[in-house]
Amino acid sequence: MFGILGVSGLSFLLVALLTPLLIKGLHILKLTQPIRTELPPDHQAKRGTPLMAGLILLTGVGTSLQSHPAPLMMFLCVTFILFSTIGFMDDFKKAAFQDPSGISGRMKLILQFAFTGVLFFVLFRSFGLTTDITLFQGFQLHLPIYIYLPVILLFVVGSANAINFTDGLDGLLINVAIPTYFFFFLISDKPEVQTFSLVMIGCLLGLFLYNIYPARAFMGDTGSLAIGGSLSMLAIIEKVEILIPILFFVYLAEQFSVILQVWYYKRTKLRLFRMAPIHYHFSLKYGWSENKIVMVFGFISWLSVLICWLLWKYMLGGNS
């Protein structure tokens, strides 16, 4: 345990010390965040903030592999890198060409489905992933592979994008993701998952120093998609698929607010929310500050984790 805590602490120090150098480099290269014109005035003031600070989270990949070089750790790190690569491609186009749209949504989805498909092939072939979903202690639903695989593919890609939507305010995704990683640290009996989760918490705390309002840098899709991909894959590895609606409550609320906004507007030509994702709604309609939204959403994430831990322990028979 102390060894894992030490690696997490090292990750925190590396990110905390190296992020200013990354920020300086991004400034020199003029790789900064373009701001969509429809965003509120306080967001327009963020124009010119360095983008792609999520690159610093790759230090967690290095420290994780160095501390625990095992096949499952390699799998988790490769997952993180693959999703980060998609995010980097998107961020680079945004920053280099000052194009808020980045690469096409279609291209991002193609890459996400392709990478996720390869990762699932490895999970089934090398790590013995089953198609069973635990509903209650001692009761599992066995799904045919042709049903399980498409559903879980959609889940991973959908969840990664939902988590990406959450990265819209200074420090928001970090504050919401830390509890989720902590959940997987709590429930796992796999040292690789425990180490990876705590290392990522250390990295996120280090980046939080520079991403908290007013942010000196944005992690961008480089970080948020990597976080999304890795958290989604952890849920599959730990076989807690049934808990996802609660565990990922904040992320799914962000994603579904966008879906509902589009659906409602097409039907009525009216807006269901002042702006989507929903964190903008609380800012524009209720006047909440960024820090208040970040604090409240973070609290909801911790509450979701507590509920899921209780369900895992007493309903799913965790560690029994």
Side-chain angles (χ1 to χ4, degrees):
M1 176 62 71
F2 290 109
I4 297 177
L5 291 174
V7 174
S8 180
L10 175 62
S11 300
F12 168 80
L13 288 175
L14 286 173
V15 172
L17 294 174
L18 295 177
T19 298
L21 298 177
L22 176 60
I23 292 174
K24 185 175 181 179
L26 293 171
H27 265 303
I28 292 172
L29 295 172
K30 294 183 170 54
L31 296 174
T32 58
Q33 172 76 59
I35 305 297
R36 289 184 288 134
T37 56
E38 65 269 22
L39 289 179
D42 56 334
H43 286 266
Q44 300 301 324
K46 299 179 182 183
R47 194 181 306 275
T49 303
L51 188 58
M52 296 190 289
L55 284 169
I56 201 66
L57 298 178
L58 294 175
T59 58
V61 170
T63 53
S64 295
L65 284 173
Q66 181 66 29
S67 65
H68 209 101
L72 182 56
M73 182 65 79
M74 178 67 73
F75 176 85
L76 291 171
C77 291
V78 168
T79 298
F80 195 88
I81 292 170
L82 287 177
F83 278 87
S84 183
T85 300
I86 302 171
F88 176 81
M89 293 168 60
D90 193 44
D91 286 339
F92 187 81
K93 184 177 180 183
K94 289 177 183 176
F97 298 97
Q98 288 298 291
D99 176 12
S101 60
I103 64 174
S104 70
R106 181 180 180 183
M107 176 58 69
K108 282 197 285 188
L109 285 175
I110 289 173
L111 290 172
Q112 287 173 40
F113 275 110
F115 289 165
T116 304
V118 171
L119 291 168
F120 269 111
F121 176 79
V122 174
L123 275 180
F124 279 109
R125 187 177 181 85
S126 301
F127 296 99
L129 180 69
T130 69
T131 61
D132 296 333
I133 296 179
T134 302
L135 300 180
F136 301 97
Q137 185 176 358
F139 182 77
Q140 293 181 323
L141 177 65
H142 179 73
L143 295 176
I145 185 69
Y146 58 83
I147 294 178
Y148 179 85
L149 190 55
V151 169
I152 298 302
L153 275 172
L154 286 171
F155 156 71
V156 171
V157 173
S159 295
N161 284 287
I163 291 170
N164 186 38
F165 277 128
T166 309
D167 186 31
L169 299 178
D170 296 356
L172 178 58
L173 178 56
I174 292 177
N175 216 34
V176 175
I178 285 174
T180 318
Y181 276 118
F182 187 66
F183 172 78
F184 290 114
F185 166 75
L186 281 179
I187 70 165
S188 184
D189 58 1
K190 303 175 182 67
E192 299 92 338
V193 171
Q194 292 178 332
T195 301
F196 182 81
S197 298
L198 272 196
V199 164
M200 285 304 156
I201 289 174
C203 289
L204 289 174
L205 285 172
L207 183 57
F208 192 59
L209 299 175
Y210 307 94
N211 189 237
I212 194 172
Y213 182 84
R216 291 175 54 189
F218 299 140
M219 74 162 70
D221 288 5
T222 306
S224 60
L225 275 179
I227 292 170
S230 62
L231 285 175
S232 302
M233 206 59 72
L234 284 171
I236 303 303
I237 291 170
E238 292 299 326
K239 303 301 293 179
V240 290
E241 299 96 333
I242 195 68
L243 298 179
I244 292 307
I246 301 173
L247 183 63
F248 285 12
F249 178 80
V250 173
Y251 314 124
L252 295 176
E254 295 274 31
Q255 184 178 50
F256 280 110
S257 69
V258 175
I259 295 172
L260 288 172
Q261 182 87 318
V262 173
W263 173 81
Y264 191 75
Y265 184 79
K266 285 183 176 180
R267 289 179 62 90
T268 66
K269 300 303 178 185
L270 299 173
R271 297 183 186 276
L272 187 61
F273 306 105
R274 288 287 296 274
M275 184 176 287
I278 199 169
H279 55 253
Y280 292 125
H281 179 75
F282 287 99
S283 173
L284 293 173
K285 184 173 178 62
Y286 301 109
W288 287 15
S289 67
E290 286 199 39
N291 284 336
K292 182 174 181 178
I293 296 170
V294 169
M295 181 179 66
V296 171
F297 279 39
F299 173 79
I300 294 172
S301 184
W302 279 111
L303 183 61
S304 298
V305 165
L306 175 60
I307 294 171
C308 284
W309 180 81
L310 291 172
L311 290 173
W312 169 80
K313 187 172 182 64
Y314 297 107
M315 186 181 83
L316 302 183
N319 287 339
S320 61

